[in-house]
Amino acid sequence: MTLKKFNLPDVGEGLTEAEIVSWKVKPGDTVAINDVICEIETAKSLVELPSPYAGTVAELLVAEGITVEVGTAIIGISDNAPGVLKPTPAPASPTAVQAPSAAPAAEQAFEASMYGKLPADAGTSDGGPAGGPLVGSGPKADAVKRRPRKRPEGATAVAAAAPGTAPAAVEPTVEPVVEPSAPALPPVAAQQPASQGTASQAAGLTGLGATVSGLVNRVLAKPPVRKIARELGIDLADVVPTGARGEVTREDLVSYQSQRDAEVDQADTFWGASKKPQDQRVERIPVKGVRKATAKAMVESAFTAPHVSIFVDVDASRTMEFVKRLKASRDFEGIKVSPLLILSKAVIWAAARNPSVNATWVENADGNGNAEIHVKHYMNLGIAAATPRGLMVPNIKDAQDLSLKELALALNELASTARAGKTQPAQMQGGSLTITNVGALGIDTGTPIINPGEVAIVAFGTIKQKPWVLDGEVIPRWITTLGGSFDHRVVDGDLSARFMADVASILEEPALLLD
């Protein structure tokens, strides 16, 4: 009998340890090469580990929930294992076994434009998402006051229609920060000055905010699903759609309702019994994996890079009109479009006009104690996302080369990958500038911490209807607030202000992207 032991590999670049989250096999199981044997959580993401050998699982050497160093033997696979062995503790002194990292691609001469082209043979990511949050927001909180929920026959039928979904619904879902909250989706009428609206339009707007949001925020869903959502008091814009065409299904409603009920139930039992001593009513949560790495990176960033933050209010009414037109366009049929798409394009456009925001500060770059600023002639656009394992920042590789439609698809893929917990370490490496959508929770703006290795981050606040002075008249417009944090070693006050002004100018007039 030949017994082969598989050592925990370095699935990223320079990772030193990982936690065995769950085993997908047990002693006695037969596995083939590349069959998934376990899930591990590294400092960057959750990764499925394939088997390097074919044979029979002889022993599991590390129990679930245990963190071990790279190089530790975690499983034994035999081509002829007669017995079933019990898991044993991991070795105390593992030997690190790491695959050599790929040599960096040779630098090339850049043309006059900000963003250069990669050589034809250079390996690039597919632009797919990696989800990891650095500074972002998690699952959306419900309003404090809810409409009374009725339990009609339709609602009961929904629950019965998908009995298998109940257990999964209790698990926390991820709402990546890739689109503004429901109030952020504006109406057509509100995007025009009052003087341009017709009398008939004005008469139809009995409730300007609610009615207008309904016109623009048309979530795909069949009539029976809409009926059930109304009866349950669920805003379809808050539900993550899983339908083939991006529509909300009955199963989505069941999952959302189950999660919402679970959150309410947990809130009712959150406070511990007062009869117990207070030291017995403290929940201790180990800091490990993604959260541990994020905490370390944030402390280093906050106390290494001198942060400076600036803010700007923006009239995004024309961006909202543009988003509405894209949604109605045949070219974007079936593609989820949000104002974040326009902001992403705006950031790429503004970075080309202010290159130093798309850079990295490198200490002791020459080995003699001298620092360098490395300006990147490409945009790996990071989008902060929240997952149950913590905040992550996946990035879209070479985002500057993507068309508006391609960028929309990349953002959607980033969101779905993060939501499914499938973000890979490579998808979070090499970012150049980050966007965090704090507006997903209805927050106006914030002062985000710069993602390590970058010098700028932009916070996208919620879009709300507010009174705005236009041509001497006070009219309702859709306003958002942008917040930016910058590494003052690289980006001074003048440059940061010009960059934020350029981003704001695109949100105020998206047609500038056509120049």
Side-chain angles (χ1 to χ4, degrees):
M1 176 181 71
T2 302
L3 179 65
K4 298 179 180 178
K5 292 186 177 181
F6 177 37
N7 296 336
L8 178 67
D10 176 8
V11 295
E13 292 183 2
L15 297 177
T16 60
E17 63 181 19
E19 175 190 345
I20 305 297
V21 176
S22 63
W23 283 105
K24 304 301 182 184
V25 296
K26 62 183 182 298
D29 286 353
T30 301
V31 295
I33 294 177
N34 290 332
D35 281 355
V36 175
I37 56 175
C38 68
E39 280 188 330
I40 63 173
E41 182 178 9
T42 70
K44 296 183 177 180
S45 64
L46 194 68
V47 179
E48 292 182 338
L49 210 57
S51 172
Y53 310 121
T56 302
V57 177
E59 53 186 346
L60 306 180
L61 300 173
V62 180
E64 293 180 353
I66 300 299
T67 299
V68 295
E69 295 182 9
V70 168
T72 301
I74 60 174
I75 187 173
I77 298 177
S78 171
D79 53 9
N80 183 19
V84 175
L85 304 181
K86 305 237 180 227
T88 59
S93 301
T95 302
V97 178
Q98 299 186 13
S101 58
E107 295 183 0
Q108 64 178 61
F110 295 104
E111 300 175 356
S113 61
M114 167 63 182
Y115 300 116
K117 300 291 184 179
L118 290 174
D121 57 347
T124 61
S125 169
D126 60 1
L134 165 65
V135 183
S137 52
K140 190 171 185 177
D142 292 332
V144 175
K145 295 181 180 179
R146 298 193 183 119
R147 287 180 286 172
R149 292 200 295 268
K150 301 177 182 179
R151 297 290 183 181
E153 294 180 1
T156 304
V158 174
T165 62
V170 178
E171 299 177 1
T173 59
V174 179
E175 181 179 322
V177 276
V178 295
E179 64 178 18
S181 59
L185 294 173
V188 181
Q191 296 161 18
Q192 304 297 333
S195 58
Q196 297 179 9
T198 63
S200 59
Q201 289 174 329
L205 296 177
T206 56
L208 187 56
T211 304
V212 174
S213 287
L215 292 175
V216 176
N217 189 21
R218 292 292 294 175
V219 180
L220 293 178
K222 295 180 179 179
V225 175
R226 294 186 182 278
K227 179 176 182 293
I228 296 171
R230 285 195 300 270
E231 292 169 343
L232 295 177
I234 296 177
D235 185 347
L236 288 175
D238 295 340
V239 182
V240 177
T242 62
R245 298 178 59 251
E247 73 274 12
V248 175
T249 66
R250 294 186 178 214
E251 289 74 17
D252 296 334
L253 287 183
V254 172
S255 176
Y256 181 84
Q257 180 64 28
S258 297
Q259 180 195 357
R260 194 165 71 168
D261 290 342
E263 290 172 353
V264 173
D265 294 341
Q266 291 171 2
D268 293 340
T269 59
F270 174 77
W271 304 115
S274 58
K275 295 180 180 179
K276 291 184 178 180
Q278 289 189 351
D279 60 356
Q280 296 181 18
R281 287 182 278 156
V282 176
E283 180 182 5
R284 292 170 172 79
I285 303 174
V287 178
K288 57 185 179 180
V290 172
R291 192 169 299 279
K292 179 179 179 181
T294 299
K296 182 175 182 293
M298 291 302 93
V299 171
E300 291 178 352
S301 177
F303 294 101
T304 300
H307 283 54
V308 60
S309 299
I310 59 176
F311 311 94
V312 58
D313 290 335
V314 182
D315 179 359
S317 300
R318 290 185 177 177
T319 284
M320 297 307 105
E321 174 63 22
F322 187 39
V323 168
K324 177 180 179 297
R325 291 178 180 178
L326 290 178
K327 289 181 177 180
S329 169
R330 181 174 299 178
D331 291 339
F332 283 79
E333 184 177 0
I335 301 176
K336 194 171 186 178
V337 180
S338 77
L340 181 63
L341 172 62
I342 311 306
L343 176 67
S344 299
K345 270 293 186 182
V347 166
I348 297 170
W349 181 83
R353 293 164 60 92
N354 307 277
S356 292
V357 303
N358 194 55
T360 298
W361 175 278
V362 181
E363 292 282 3
N364 193 24
D366 60 359
N368 296 319
N370 297 315
E372 289 181 352
I373 297 173
H374 293 182
V375 179
K376 302 172 183 178
H377 290 250
Y378 59 86
M379 174 65 76
N380 289 348
L381 183 63
I383 304 295
T387 74
R389 296 183 304 281
L391 293 169
M392 300 179 181
V393 182
N395 62 75
I396 300 173
K397 311 295 184 185
D398 282 307
Q400 80 283 349
D401 291 336
L402 302 181
S403 66
L404 197 62
K405 181 177 181 179
E406 291 170 337
L407 185 58
L409 290 170
L411 287 170
N412 290 344
E413 178 65 18
L414 182 149
S416 60
T417 301
R419 186 162 53 240
K422 300 298 183 182
T423 299
Q424 299 300 305
Q427 295 173 303
M428 291 183 288
Q429 296 167 355
S432 54
L433 197 154
T434 294
I435 296 174
T436 175
N437 187 2
V438 297
L441 281 178
I443 304 301
D444 291 335
T445 190
T447 54
I449 298 178
I450 301 167
N451 198 14
E454 303 172 12
V455 299
I457 182 171
V458 177
F460 188 21
T462 187
I463 304 177
K464 296 179 180 178
Q465 192 177 45
K466 297 181 179 179
W468 192 258
V469 178
L470 185 65
D471 296 331
E473 296 184 37
V474 179
I475 60 175
R477 301 288 283 178
W478 290 92
I479 309 302
T480 188
T481 301
L482 300 179
S485 292
F486 303 89
D487 185 340
H488 217 332
R489 296 174 299 180
V490 180
V491 185
D492 58 25
D494 176 69
L495 177 59
S496 61
R498 285 190 283 110
F499 170 74
M500 293 295 286
D502 283 340
V503 174
S505 67
I506 295 297
L507 291 181
E508 291 177 345
E509 185 47 84
L512 291 174
L513 291 172
L514 303 178
D515 292 346

